[in-house]
Amino acid sequence: MLEPAYQADVVIVGAGVAGLSAAHRLTSQGVTVAVLEAAPCVGGRMSTEKVDGFRLDRIGQLLSTAYPELRLAPGLDGLVLRPFAPGVLLHGDGRHHRVDAPAGARSARGALHAVRALASAPRGMPGPRLVAASRRAASRRATFRVLPGQGTASRAARATAPLGGAVDQARLGAALTRYSTVPVERLLARPELPAGQALAARGLPARTIDGFLRPLLAALLCDPALTTSSRCADLALRAFAGGRLCVPEGGAETLPELLAQTLPAGTVHTGVRVTSVATTSVTTAEHGEIRCRAVLLATDARAAAELLPGLRVPDFHPVTVVHHTTEEPPRTGTALLLDADRGGPVAHTAVISEVDPSRAPSGRALISSTVLGTPPADLETAVRTHLARLYGIPTHRWETLAVHHTPEAVPAMPAPHDLRRTVRLLAGLYVCGDHRDTSTVQGALHSAHRAATAILKDLGASGSMHRADPTPTAQAA
Ligand SMILES: Cc1cc2nc3c(=O)[nH]c(=O)nc-3n(C[C@H](O)[C@H](O)[C@H](O)COP(=O)(O)OP(=O)(O)OC[C@H]3O[C@@H](n4cnc5c(N)ncnc54)[C@H](O)[C@@H]3O)c2cc1C
C-alpha cells in the first residue's frame, strides 16, 4: 500500500517499457521517482502468459539488434536477445526462399551488440554457436536461397528458378545496402508517402516488391495495407538490413521485468490507477492525491488522452498472435517465415522454441504465428490450414495453446507522421510512450529518453534531489 502523503520528485504513470526506462534515467541522476501502474504487474503490452511450462507472448515480437535504444537504455545490460536465422524465409509460389541482408550491411555495432547479448546467455545456451552464425551472415551476399527438405513444395522449388532473376537480386541487395548505410537524416529527408506507394516509386521490380518488401514491411510495421509513412518504413528496413531480428529470451516480459528489478527498491507500485494528473500531483483511485514536482504520463495513447483530453488518439493496428504446440515441429529451424503470397491470415510464423528454447517444456515445440488486421471469423481453422501450407506439413494434430487478440496493439503511423512528437507539454507535465515516436519498443524507449532529458533539464537535476518522506511502504513489482 502507498502512504497517501507519499511524495517524489517525479511521478510516472504507467510501468510499460517507456515508463520504466524513463524511471531509470531519472533515478540514475538522483531524482526520486514513483512509478504507478494500474495493472497487477509491470510490462504493459509486453506481457507473457505462462501455460503448462510454455511462455506465450501477447505480442508477436520482432525486435532488431539494430534498435539503438536496446544498447543505450540503462537497466538492460542483462538482456539476452535470441536471434532468428539471418534474413527471413519467404513462402511464395509454393516454395521457401531464404532472403538475407547483403554483405557488410549489418553494422559492426549491431553485430557487436548481438555478440554481447548472446555471450551473456546462461551456460548451456547456444550463445557462441549463434554468434558464429551472426558473423557468417554478415559476410554473405544478398541471396534468394531455396531450403531443402520441405516436402513437395521444396522439391518443386529445387526444379525451378528462385524468386526473381539475377538482376532482381542485385537490385534488392543494392537497395538493402543503401538502407543500411544511408544516414538516418537522409532517409528522413525523402518525400513522405504511404509506404506502399513509396515502394512502387523506388524503381524496384514489382516481383521484388510483392515477393519480399511488402510481406517484410507488413510484418515489421504490423500494417498489412502498408499505409504507414514511408519514413517509418525506411527506418524499419534500415534496422532490418543493419541488424538481426530477435526476441528477448524468456518472453517479451523479461525486458520490462529487467527494467523494474534494477530500479531502486520501492520505486514501482503496481495496482495503483491514476485518475487525474496535474503538474504537481496525481490523483489515484486507491490512495488519493500524491504530490510531486513533475508528472510523466507513460501510458498507451488512449489512456493518455483520457487523462489529458487534448492529446491525440491515433488509429491502431489490431494484431492477433496464435500459439500452437506439437511434438514434431516443422524443420524451418530458427527462421522467421513470411507469406509472400498472402494466401491466408498468417503474416509471419516461427518455431519460436527453436529461437528461444526457454519458451517451451522439453520435448514440445512452440509455434507462434501472427495475424495482422481484423482476424477472420474462423480464425483457428484458417490459421491451421494456412500454417499447413506454409510449413508443408499437416497441422491438424497441433494443439492450440492460446489466441491473443489485441485490438489496439500498435498506433498507426500514416503519412505525415511526426517521429518526434513533443514530450514536454508544460513545465512539470510530460508524456512518453510509443505514440510519441515510432510504434515500436525502440520508439517507446526513445520517447522515454527524450522525456527524461526534458524533465532533468527543467528540474535542473544534478546529483541528489528530493528525499521521499515518508518512505513509501509499497513493494517494487
Ligand atoms: C500484438 C502486438 C505486437 C507488437 N509487435 C511489435 C514488434 O514486433 N516490434 C516492436 O518493436 N513492437 C511491437 N509492438 C509494440 C510494443 O509492444 C509497444 O510499442 C511497447 O510495448 C509500448 O510500450 P509503452 O511503455 O509505450 O506502453 P504500454 O506497454 O502500453 O504501457 C503503458 C502502461 O500504462 C499503464 N496504464 C494505463 N493507464 C493507466 C493509469 N490510468 N494508471 C496507471 N497505469 C496506467 C498500462 O497498464 C500499461 O502497463 C507490438 C505490440 C502488440 C500489442
Side-chain angles (χ1 to χ4, degrees), residues 13-14 16-18 36-38 43-46 58-62 67 222 272-274 298-300 303 319 406 409-410 433-434 440-441 444:
V13 186
V17 283
L36 308 181
E37 167 57 52
R45 276 167 278 169
M46 295 188 76
R58 171 161 284 279
I59 73 181
Q61 188 91 72
L62 298 176
Y67 280 177
C222 298
V272 183
R273 174 167 294 281
V274 171
T299 67
D300 54 282
V319 178
T406 311
V410 177
D434 59 352
T440 59
V441 172

PDB file of all heavy atoms in Angstrom, residues 13-14 16-18 36-38 43-46 58-62 67 222 272-274 298-300 303 319 406 409-410 433-434 440-441 444, ligand 1:
ATOM      1  N   VAL A  13       3.328   7.720 -14.623  1.00  0.00           N
ATOM      2  CA  VAL A  13       2.076   6.961 -14.721  1.00  0.00           C
ATOM      3  C   VAL A  13       2.236   5.900 -15.806  1.00  0.00           C
ATOM      4  O   VAL A  13       2.337   6.223 -16.992  1.00  0.00           O
ATOM      5  CB  VAL A  13       0.892   7.898 -15.070  1.00  0.00           C
ATOM      6  CG1 VAL A  13      -0.423   7.112 -15.027  1.00  0.00           C
ATOM      7  CG2 VAL A  13       0.847   9.089 -14.128  1.00  0.00           C
ATOM      8  N   GLY A  14       2.301   4.629 -15.397  1.00  0.00           N
ATOM      9  CA  GLY A  14       2.421   3.539 -16.364  1.00  0.00           C
ATOM     10  C   GLY A  14       3.786   2.869 -16.276  1.00  0.00           C
ATOM     11  O   GLY A  14       4.819   3.550 -16.348  1.00  0.00           O
ATOM     12  N   GLY A  16       4.982   0.414 -18.403  1.00  0.00           N
ATOM     13  CA  GLY A  16       5.421  -0.261 -19.625  1.00  0.00           C
ATOM     14  C   GLY A  16       6.909   0.030 -19.789  1.00  0.00           C
ATOM     15  O   GLY A  16       7.542   0.653 -18.920  1.00  0.00           O
ATOM     16  N   VAL A  17       7.470  -0.382 -20.919  1.00  0.00           N
ATOM     17  CA  VAL A  17       8.915  -0.161 -21.101  1.00  0.00           C
ATOM     18  C   VAL A  17       9.260   1.326 -21.109  1.00  0.00           C
ATOM     19  O   VAL A  17      10.324   1.719 -20.637  1.00  0.00           O
ATOM     20  CB  VAL A  17       9.465  -0.838 -22.372  1.00  0.00           C
ATOM     21  CG1 VAL A  17       9.620  -2.317 -22.157  1.00  0.00           C
ATOM     22  CG2 VAL A  17       8.649  -0.521 -23.593  1.00  0.00           C
ATOM     23  N   ALA A  18       8.345   2.170 -21.596  1.00  0.00           N
ATOM     24  CA  ALA A  18       8.644   3.607 -21.645  1.00  0.00           C
ATOM     25  C   ALA A  18       8.753   4.179 -20.228  1.00  0.00           C
ATOM     26  O   ALA A  18       9.745   4.835 -19.886  1.00  0.00           O
ATOM     27  CB  ALA A  18       7.572   4.347 -22.449  1.00  0.00           C
ATOM     28  N   LEU A  36       3.664   4.514 -11.011  1.00  0.00           N
ATOM     29  CA  LEU A  36       2.361   3.982 -10.613  1.00  0.00           C
ATOM     30  C   LEU A  36       1.755   3.210 -11.774  1.00  0.00           C
ATOM     31  O   LEU A  36       1.581   3.753 -12.871  1.00  0.00           O
ATOM     32  CB  LEU A  36       1.427   5.133 -10.206  1.00  0.00           C
ATOM     33  CG  LEU A  36       1.991   6.115  -9.169  1.00  0.00           C
ATOM     34  CD1 LEU A  36       0.952   7.181  -8.844  1.00  0.00           C
ATOM     35  CD2 LEU A  36       2.446   5.387  -7.907  1.00  0.00           C
ATOM     36  N   GLU A  37       1.444   1.958 -11.544  1.00  0.00           N
ATOM     37  CA  GLU A  37       0.939   1.075 -12.607  1.00  0.00           C
ATOM     38  C   GLU A  37      -0.419   0.520 -12.198  1.00  0.00           C
ATOM     39  O   GLU A  37      -0.560  -0.062 -11.120  1.00  0.00           O
ATOM     40  CB  GLU A  37       1.948  -0.050 -12.853  1.00  0.00           C
ATOM     41  CG  GLU A  37       1.438  -1.198 -13.690  1.00  0.00           C
ATOM     42  CD  GLU A  37       0.920  -0.795 -15.077  1.00  0.00           C
ATOM     43  OE1 GLU A  37       1.652  -0.108 -15.810  1.00  0.00           O
ATOM     44  OE2 GLU A  37      -0.239  -1.161 -15.410  1.00  0.00           O
ATOM     45  N   ALA A  38      -1.408   0.682 -13.073  1.00  0.00           N
ATOM     46  CA  ALA A  38      -2.764   0.234 -12.749  1.00  0.00           C
ATOM     47  C   ALA A  38      -2.870  -1.293 -12.678  1.00  0.00           C
ATOM     48  O   ALA A  38      -3.597  -1.834 -11.845  1.00  0.00           O
ATOM     49  CB  ALA A  38      -3.737   0.778 -13.797  1.00  0.00           C
ATOM     50  N   GLY A  43       4.946  -4.067 -17.338  1.00  0.00           N
ATOM     51  CA  GLY A  43       5.188  -4.567 -18.697  1.00  0.00           C
ATOM     52  C   GLY A  43       4.226  -4.052 -19.746  1.00  0.00           C
ATOM     53  O   GLY A  43       4.552  -4.038 -20.915  1.00  0.00           O
ATOM     54  N   GLY A  44       2.987  -3.679 -19.336  1.00  0.00           N
ATOM     55  CA  GLY A  44       2.030  -3.175 -20.311  1.00  0.00           C
ATOM     56  C   GLY A  44       1.808  -4.179 -21.428  1.00  0.00           C
ATOM     57  O   GLY A  44       1.500  -5.345 -21.171  1.00  0.00           O
ATOM     58  N   ARG A  45       2.004  -3.741 -22.659  1.00  0.00           N
ATOM     59  CA  ARG A  45       1.752  -4.621 -23.801  1.00  0.00           C
ATOM     60  C   ARG A  45       2.782  -5.749 -23.918  1.00  0.00           C
ATOM     61  O   ARG A  45       2.565  -6.715 -24.625  1.00  0.00           O
ATOM     62  CB  ARG A  45       1.716  -3.791 -25.098  1.00  0.00           C
ATOM     63  CG  ARG A  45       0.361  -3.169 -25.356  1.00  0.00           C
ATOM     64  CD  ARG A  45       0.421  -2.121 -26.429  1.00  0.00           C
ATOM     65  NE  ARG A  45       0.871  -0.838 -25.916  1.00  0.00           N
ATOM     66  CZ  ARG A  45       1.217   0.191 -26.672  1.00  0.00           C
ATOM     67  NH1 ARG A  45       1.187   0.066 -27.973  1.00  0.00           N
ATOM     68  NH2 ARG A  45       1.594   1.323 -26.112  1.00  0.00           N
ATOM     69  N   MET A  46       3.911  -5.587 -23.245  1.00  0.00           N
ATOM     70  CA  MET A  46       4.940  -6.647 -23.331  1.00  0.00           C
ATOM     71  C   MET A  46       4.723  -7.666 -22.214  1.00  0.00           C
ATOM     72  O   MET A  46       5.533  -7.794 -21.297  1.00  0.00           O
ATOM     73  CB  MET A  46       6.334  -6.036 -23.250  1.00  0.00           C
ATOM     74  CG  MET A  46       6.626  -5.145 -24.439  1.00  0.00           C
ATOM     75  SD  MET A  46       8.324  -4.591 -24.506  1.00  0.00           S
ATOM     76  CE  MET A  46       9.168  -6.049 -25.081  1.00  0.00           C
ATOM     77  N   ARG A  58       1.968 -12.046 -25.685  1.00  0.00           N
ATOM     78  CA  ARG A  58       0.769 -11.414 -26.254  1.00  0.00           C
ATOM     79  C   ARG A  58       1.130 -10.774 -27.590  1.00  0.00           C
ATOM     80  O   ARG A  58       0.306 -10.660 -28.483  1.00  0.00           O
ATOM     81  CB  ARG A  58       0.280 -10.347 -25.265  1.00  0.00           C
ATOM     82  CG  ARG A  58      -0.825  -9.451 -25.769  1.00  0.00           C
ATOM     83  CD  ARG A  58      -1.526  -8.788 -24.627  1.00  0.00           C
ATOM     84  NE  ARG A  58      -2.402  -9.724 -23.957  1.00  0.00           N
ATOM     85  CZ  ARG A  58      -3.616 -10.053 -24.370  1.00  0.00           C
ATOM     86  NH1 ARG A  58      -4.100  -9.522 -25.459  1.00  0.00           N
ATOM     87  NH2 ARG A  58      -4.342 -10.915 -23.720  1.00  0.00           N
ATOM     88  N   ILE A  59       2.368 -10.338 -27.701  1.00  0.00           N
ATOM     89  CA  ILE A  59       2.773  -9.640 -28.908  1.00  0.00           C
ATOM     90  C   ILE A  59       3.651 -10.560 -29.752  1.00  0.00           C
ATOM     91  O   ILE A  59       4.392 -11.364 -29.215  1.00  0.00           O
ATOM     92  CB  ILE A  59       3.504  -8.322 -28.605  1.00  0.00           C
ATOM     93  CG1 ILE A  59       4.905  -8.546 -28.068  1.00  0.00           C
ATOM     94  CG2 ILE A  59       2.731  -7.528 -27.580  1.00  0.00           C
ATOM     95  CD1 ILE A  59       5.616  -7.265 -27.758  1.00  0.00           C
ATOM     96  N   GLY A  60       3.500 -10.450 -31.064  1.00  0.00           N
ATOM     97  CA  GLY A  60       4.341 -11.229 -31.977  1.00  0.00           C
ATOM     98  C   GLY A  60       5.642 -10.485 -32.166  1.00  0.00           C
ATOM     99  O   GLY A  60       5.941  -9.996 -33.243  1.00  0.00           O
ATOM    100  N   GLN A  61       6.388 -10.447 -31.097  1.00  0.00           N
ATOM    101  CA  GLN A  61       7.508  -9.525 -31.008  1.00  0.00           C
ATOM    102  C   GLN A  61       8.606  -9.740 -32.053  1.00  0.00           C
ATOM    103  O   GLN A  61       9.112 -10.839 -32.209  1.00  0.00           O
ATOM    104  CB  GLN A  61       8.162  -9.704 -29.642  1.00  0.00           C
ATOM    105  CG  GLN A  61       9.210  -8.671 -29.355  1.00  0.00           C
ATOM    106  CD  GLN A  61       8.602  -7.495 -28.648  1.00  0.00           C
ATOM    107  OE1 GLN A  61       8.264  -7.602 -27.502  1.00  0.00           O
ATOM    108  NE2 GLN A  61       8.451  -6.395 -29.331  1.00  0.00           N
ATOM    109  N   LEU A  62       8.961  -8.686 -32.760  1.00  0.00           N
ATOM    110  CA  LEU A  62      10.137  -8.693 -33.615  1.00  0.00           C
ATOM    111  C   LEU A  62      10.990  -7.501 -33.217  1.00  0.00           C
ATOM    112  O   LEU A  62      10.694  -6.376 -33.600  1.00  0.00           O
ATOM    113  CB  LEU A  62       9.744  -8.571 -35.087  1.00  0.00           C
ATOM    114  CG  LEU A  62       8.886  -9.688 -35.681  1.00  0.00           C
ATOM    115  CD1 LEU A  62       8.508  -9.366 -37.106  1.00  0.00           C
ATOM    116  CD2 LEU A  62       9.606 -11.023 -35.593  1.00  0.00           C
ATOM    117  N   TYR A  67      18.184  -1.763 -33.054  1.00  0.00           N
ATOM    118  CA  TYR A  67      17.468  -0.719 -32.307  1.00  0.00           C
ATOM    119  C   TYR A  67      18.461  -0.022 -31.374  1.00  0.00           C
ATOM    120  O   TYR A  67      18.949  -0.643 -30.414  1.00  0.00           O
ATOM    121  CB  TYR A  67      16.365  -1.332 -31.448  1.00  0.00           C
ATOM    122  CG  TYR A  67      15.066  -1.683 -32.150  1.00  0.00           C
ATOM    123  CD1 TYR A  67      14.043  -2.302 -31.440  1.00  0.00           C
ATOM    124  CD2 TYR A  67      14.844  -1.404 -33.490  1.00  0.00           C
ATOM    125  CE1 TYR A  67      12.838  -2.634 -32.047  1.00  0.00           C
ATOM    126  CE2 TYR A  67      13.644  -1.730 -34.095  1.00  0.00           C
ATOM    127  CZ  TYR A  67      12.652  -2.353 -33.377  1.00  0.00           C
ATOM    128  OH  TYR A  67      11.473  -2.679 -33.982  1.00  0.00           O
ATOM    129  N   CYS A 222       3.455  -4.145 -38.582  1.00  0.00           N
ATOM    130  CA  CYS A 222       2.116  -4.645 -38.184  1.00  0.00           C
ATOM    131  C   CYS A 222       1.041  -3.977 -39.039  1.00  0.00           C
ATOM    132  O   CYS A 222      -0.059  -3.694 -38.554  1.00  0.00           O
ATOM    133  CB  CYS A 222       1.834  -4.399 -36.702  1.00  0.00           C
ATOM    134  SG  CYS A 222       2.954  -5.225 -35.582  1.00  0.00           S
ATOM    135  N   VAL A 272      -2.093   0.483  -8.836  1.00  0.00           N
ATOM    136  CA  VAL A 272      -2.439   1.872  -8.495  1.00  0.00           C
ATOM    137  C   VAL A 272      -2.888   2.576  -9.779  1.00  0.00           C
ATOM    138  O   VAL A 272      -2.078   2.850 -10.670  1.00  0.00           O
ATOM    139  CB  VAL A 272      -1.229   2.627  -7.877  1.00  0.00           C
ATOM    140  CG1 VAL A 272      -1.639   4.041  -7.478  1.00  0.00           C
ATOM    141  CG2 VAL A 272      -0.671   1.868  -6.681  1.00  0.00           C
ATOM    142  N   ARG A 273      -4.183   2.872  -9.881  1.00  0.00           N
ATOM    143  CA  ARG A 273      -4.717   3.516 -11.092  1.00  0.00           C
ATOM    144  C   ARG A 273      -4.775   5.017 -10.888  1.00  0.00           C
ATOM    145  O   ARG A 273      -5.388   5.501  -9.924  1.00  0.00           O
ATOM    146  CB  ARG A 273      -6.114   2.980 -11.417  1.00  0.00           C
ATOM    147  CG  ARG A 273      -6.799   3.702 -12.575  1.00  0.00           C
ATOM    148  CD  ARG A 273      -8.023   2.965 -13.061  1.00  0.00           C
ATOM    149  NE  ARG A 273      -7.681   1.681 -13.650  1.00  0.00           N
ATOM    150  CZ  ARG A 273      -7.198   1.530 -14.886  1.00  0.00           C
ATOM    151  NH1 ARG A 273      -7.025   2.577 -15.673  1.00  0.00           N
ATOM    152  NH2 ARG A 273      -6.889   0.336 -15.332  1.00  0.00           N
ATOM    153  N   VAL A 274      -4.158   5.741 -11.787  1.00  0.00           N
ATOM    154  CA  VAL A 274      -4.190   7.207 -11.731  1.00  0.00           C
ATOM    155  C   VAL A 274      -5.463   7.693 -12.422  1.00  0.00           C
ATOM    156  O   VAL A 274      -5.786   7.261 -13.537  1.00  0.00           O
ATOM    157  CB  VAL A 274      -2.925   7.785 -12.402  1.00  0.00           C
ATOM    158  CG1 VAL A 274      -3.034   9.293 -12.566  1.00  0.00           C
ATOM    159  CG2 VAL A 274      -1.695   7.417 -11.580  1.00  0.00           C
ATOM    160  N   ALA A 298       3.125   7.944 -18.963  1.00  0.00           N
ATOM    161  CA  ALA A 298       3.787   6.930 -19.806  1.00  0.00           C
ATOM    162  C   ALA A 298       2.818   5.791 -20.102  1.00  0.00           C
ATOM    163  O   ALA A 298       3.202   4.626 -20.113  1.00  0.00           O
ATOM    164  CB  ALA A 298       5.038   6.407 -19.102  1.00  0.00           C
ATOM    165  N   THR A 299       1.568   6.131 -20.332  1.00  0.00           N
ATOM    166  CA  THR A 299       0.552   5.116 -20.651  1.00  0.00           C
ATOM    167  C   THR A 299       0.470   4.936 -22.171  1.00  0.00           C
ATOM    168  O   THR A 299       1.120   5.648 -22.936  1.00  0.00           O
ATOM    169  CB  THR A 299      -0.825   5.565 -20.148  1.00  0.00           C
ATOM    170  OG1 THR A 299      -1.227   6.699 -20.908  1.00  0.00           O
ATOM    171  CG2 THR A 299      -0.802   5.936 -18.663  1.00  0.00           C
ATOM    172  N   ASP A 300      -0.384   4.033 -22.591  1.00  0.00           N
ATOM    173  CA  ASP A 300      -0.711   3.915 -24.016  1.00  0.00           C
ATOM    174  C   ASP A 300      -1.464   5.174 -24.457  1.00  0.00           C
ATOM    175  O   ASP A 300      -1.923   5.959 -23.624  1.00  0.00           O
ATOM    176  CB  ASP A 300      -1.572   2.678 -24.247  1.00  0.00           C
ATOM    177  CG  ASP A 300      -2.809   2.694 -23.354  1.00  0.00           C
ATOM    178  OD1 ASP A 300      -2.682   2.375 -22.171  1.00  0.00           O
ATOM    179  OD2 ASP A 300      -3.890   3.084 -23.836  1.00  0.00           O
ATOM    180  N   ALA A 303      -5.202   5.774 -23.019  1.00  0.00           N
ATOM    181  CA  ALA A 303      -5.238   6.122 -21.590  1.00  0.00           C
ATOM    182  C   ALA A 303      -4.656   7.526 -21.378  1.00  0.00           C
ATOM    183  O   ALA A 303      -5.148   8.290 -20.536  1.00  0.00           O
ATOM    184  CB  ALA A 303      -4.458   5.093 -20.784  1.00  0.00           C
ATOM    185  N   VAL A 319      -3.675  -6.710 -33.801  1.00  0.00           N
ATOM    186  CA  VAL A 319      -2.770  -7.843 -34.014  1.00  0.00           C
ATOM    187  C   VAL A 319      -3.277  -9.041 -33.202  1.00  0.00           C
ATOM    188  O   VAL A 319      -3.694  -8.882 -32.058  1.00  0.00           O
ATOM    189  CB  VAL A 319      -1.325  -7.495 -33.573  1.00  0.00           C
ATOM    190  CG1 VAL A 319      -0.401  -8.700 -33.760  1.00  0.00           C
ATOM    191  CG2 VAL A 319      -0.776  -6.295 -34.347  1.00  0.00           C
ATOM    192  N   THR A 406      -5.244  -8.347 -29.724  1.00  0.00           N
ATOM    193  CA  THR A 406      -5.124  -7.000 -29.151  1.00  0.00           C
ATOM    194  C   THR A 406      -5.633  -6.006 -30.189  1.00  0.00           C
ATOM    195  O   THR A 406      -4.956  -5.731 -31.180  1.00  0.00           O
ATOM    196  CB  THR A 406      -3.640  -6.672 -28.801  1.00  0.00           C
ATOM    197  OG1 THR A 406      -3.093  -7.761 -28.063  1.00  0.00           O
ATOM    198  CG2 THR A 406      -3.523  -5.397 -27.991  1.00  0.00           C
ATOM    199  N   ALA A 409      -3.231  -2.719 -30.733  1.00  0.00           N
ATOM    200  CA  ALA A 409      -1.882  -3.215 -30.459  1.00  0.00           C
ATOM    201  C   ALA A 409      -0.824  -2.153 -30.727  1.00  0.00           C
ATOM    202  O   ALA A 409       0.043  -1.878 -29.902  1.00  0.00           O
ATOM    203  CB  ALA A 409      -1.610  -4.452 -31.301  1.00  0.00           C
ATOM    204  N   VAL A 410      -0.903  -1.549 -31.891  1.00  0.00           N
ATOM    205  CA  VAL A 410       0.177  -0.680 -32.360  1.00  0.00           C
ATOM    206  C   VAL A 410      -0.425   0.603 -32.931  1.00  0.00           C
ATOM    207  O   VAL A 410      -1.269   0.530 -33.834  1.00  0.00           O
ATOM    208  CB  VAL A 410       0.983  -1.422 -33.467  1.00  0.00           C
ATOM    209  CG1 VAL A 410       2.066  -0.536 -34.028  1.00  0.00           C
ATOM    210  CG2 VAL A 410       1.577  -2.706 -32.915  1.00  0.00           C
ATOM    211  N   GLY A 433       5.933   7.343 -24.541  1.00  0.00           N
ATOM    212  CA  GLY A 433       5.279   6.098 -24.973  1.00  0.00           C
ATOM    213  C   GLY A 433       5.434   5.970 -26.481  1.00  0.00           C
ATOM    214  O   GLY A 433       5.830   6.923 -27.154  1.00  0.00           O
ATOM    215  N   ASP A 434       5.091   4.788 -27.009  1.00  0.00           N
ATOM    216  CA  ASP A 434       5.329   4.562 -28.439  1.00  0.00           C
ATOM    217  C   ASP A 434       4.534   5.512 -29.328  1.00  0.00           C
ATOM    218  O   ASP A 434       4.920   5.766 -30.469  1.00  0.00           O
ATOM    219  CB  ASP A 434       5.062   3.096 -28.817  1.00  0.00           C
ATOM    220  CG  ASP A 434       3.641   2.634 -28.525  1.00  0.00           C
ATOM    221  OD1 ASP A 434       2.875   3.383 -27.891  1.00  0.00           O
ATOM    222  OD2 ASP A 434       3.307   1.505 -28.947  1.00  0.00           O
ATOM    223  N   THR A 440       7.026   1.233 -31.791  1.00  0.00           N
ATOM    224  CA  THR A 440       7.873   0.061 -31.558  1.00  0.00           C
ATOM    225  C   THR A 440       8.478   0.171 -30.160  1.00  0.00           C
ATOM    226  O   THR A 440       8.388   1.220 -29.511  1.00  0.00           O
ATOM    227  CB  THR A 440       9.047   0.021 -32.554  1.00  0.00           C
ATOM    228  OG1 THR A 440       9.812   1.228 -32.382  1.00  0.00           O
ATOM    229  CG2 THR A 440       8.586  -0.080 -33.991  1.00  0.00           C
ATOM    230  N   VAL A 441       9.118  -0.902 -29.740  1.00  0.00           N
ATOM    231  CA  VAL A 441       9.838  -0.858 -28.469  1.00  0.00           C
ATOM    232  C   VAL A 441      10.928   0.213 -28.540  1.00  0.00           C
ATOM    233  O   VAL A 441      11.136   0.981 -27.595  1.00  0.00           O
ATOM    234  CB  VAL A 441      10.430  -2.254 -28.157  1.00  0.00           C
ATOM    235  CG1 VAL A 441      11.339  -2.201 -26.939  1.00  0.00           C
ATOM    236  CG2 VAL A 441       9.301  -3.255 -27.952  1.00  0.00           C
ATOM    237  N   ALA A 444       9.196   3.519 -28.040  1.00  0.00           N
ATOM    238  CA  ALA A 444       8.795   3.720 -26.640  1.00  0.00           C
ATOM    239  C   ALA A 444      10.008   4.113 -25.800  1.00  0.00           C
ATOM    240  O   ALA A 444       9.959   5.067 -24.999  1.00  0.00           O
ATOM    241  CB  ALA A 444       8.146   2.452 -26.096  1.00  0.00           C
TER     242      ALA A 444
HETATM  243  C1  LIG B   1       0.323  -7.580 -30.561  1.00  0.00           C
HETATM  244  C2  LIG B   1       1.482  -6.610 -30.552  1.00  0.00           C
HETATM  245  C3  LIG B   1       2.555  -6.807 -31.420  1.00  0.00           C
HETATM  246  C4  LIG B   1       3.649  -5.920 -31.386  1.00  0.00           C
HETATM  247  N1  LIG B   1       4.737  -6.176 -32.176  1.00  0.00           N
HETATM  248  C5  LIG B   1       5.844  -5.411 -32.029  1.00  0.00           C
HETATM  249  C6  LIG B   1       7.047  -5.720 -32.726  1.00  0.00           C
HETATM  250  O1  LIG B   1       7.099  -6.700 -33.479  1.00  0.00           O
HETATM  251  N2  LIG B   1       8.151  -4.925 -32.549  1.00  0.00           N
HETATM  252  C7  LIG B   1       8.122  -3.841 -31.710  1.00  0.00           C
HETATM  253  O2  LIG B   1       9.153  -3.162 -31.543  1.00  0.00           O
HETATM  254  N3  LIG B   1       6.988  -3.506 -31.048  1.00  0.00           N
HETATM  255  C8  LIG B   1       5.864  -4.263 -31.186  1.00  0.00           C
HETATM  256  N4  LIG B   1       4.723  -3.945 -30.509  1.00  0.00           N
HETATM  257  C9  LIG B   1       4.666  -2.643 -29.818  1.00  0.00           C
HETATM  258  C10 LIG B   1       5.340  -2.620 -28.464  1.00  0.00           C
HETATM  259  O3  LIG B   1       4.910  -3.717 -27.682  1.00  0.00           O
HETATM  260  C11 LIG B   1       4.954  -1.295 -27.827  1.00  0.00           C
HETATM  261  O4  LIG B   1       5.400  -0.243 -28.666  1.00  0.00           O
HETATM  262  C12 LIG B   1       5.557  -1.059 -26.446  1.00  0.00           C
HETATM  263  O5  LIG B   1       5.407  -2.185 -25.626  1.00  0.00           O
HETATM  264  C13 LIG B   1       4.881   0.174 -25.859  1.00  0.00           C
HETATM  265  O6  LIG B   1       5.356   0.416 -24.550  1.00  0.00           O
HETATM  266  P1  LIG B   1       4.801   1.647 -23.724  1.00  0.00           P
HETATM  267  O7  LIG B   1       5.537   1.648 -22.447  1.00  0.00           O
HETATM  268  O8  LIG B   1       4.828   2.863 -24.585  1.00  0.00           O
HETATM  269  O9  LIG B   1       3.229   1.350 -23.486  1.00  0.00           O
HETATM  270  P2  LIG B   1       2.484   0.166 -22.721  1.00  0.00           P
HETATM  271  O10 LIG B   1       3.232  -1.105 -22.842  1.00  0.00           O
HETATM  272  O11 LIG B   1       1.088   0.174 -23.247  1.00  0.00           O
HETATM  273  O12 LIG B   1       2.499   0.606 -21.185  1.00  0.00           O
HETATM  274  C14 LIG B   1       1.598   1.531 -20.654  1.00  0.00           C
HETATM  275  C15 LIG B   1       1.270   1.142 -19.213  1.00  0.00           C
HETATM  276  O13 LIG B   1       0.443   2.158 -18.634  1.00  0.00           O
HETATM  277  C16 LIG B   1      -0.482   1.538 -17.768  1.00  0.00           C
HETATM  278  N5  LIG B   1      -1.610   2.431 -17.521  1.00  0.00           N
HETATM  279  C17 LIG B   1      -2.559   2.842 -18.409  1.00  0.00           C
HETATM  280  N6  LIG B   1      -3.421   3.676 -17.811  1.00  0.00           N
HETATM  281  C18 LIG B   1      -3.001   3.822 -16.529  1.00  0.00           C
HETATM  282  C19 LIG B   1      -3.488   4.582 -15.418  1.00  0.00           C
HETATM  283  N7  LIG B   1      -4.581   5.355 -15.507  1.00  0.00           N
HETATM  284  N8  LIG B   1      -2.828   4.493 -14.223  1.00  0.00           N
HETATM  285  C20 LIG B   1      -1.723   3.715 -14.102  1.00  0.00           C
HETATM  286  N9  LIG B   1      -1.230   2.985 -15.127  1.00  0.00           N
HETATM  287  C21 LIG B   1      -1.855   3.035 -16.327  1.00  0.00           C
HETATM  288  C22 LIG B   1      -0.870   0.273 -18.535  1.00  0.00           C
HETATM  289  O14 LIG B   1      -1.450  -0.697 -17.657  1.00  0.00           O
HETATM  290  C23 LIG B   1       0.480  -0.160 -19.098  1.00  0.00           C
HETATM  291  O15 LIG B   1       1.168  -1.041 -18.229  1.00  0.00           O
HETATM  292  C24 LIG B   1       3.628  -4.801 -30.504  1.00  0.00           C
HETATM  293  C25 LIG B   1       2.536  -4.609 -29.652  1.00  0.00           C
HETATM  294  C26 LIG B   1       1.481  -5.510 -29.651  1.00  0.00           C
HETATM  295  C27 LIG B   1       0.356  -5.318 -28.669  1.00  0.00           C
END
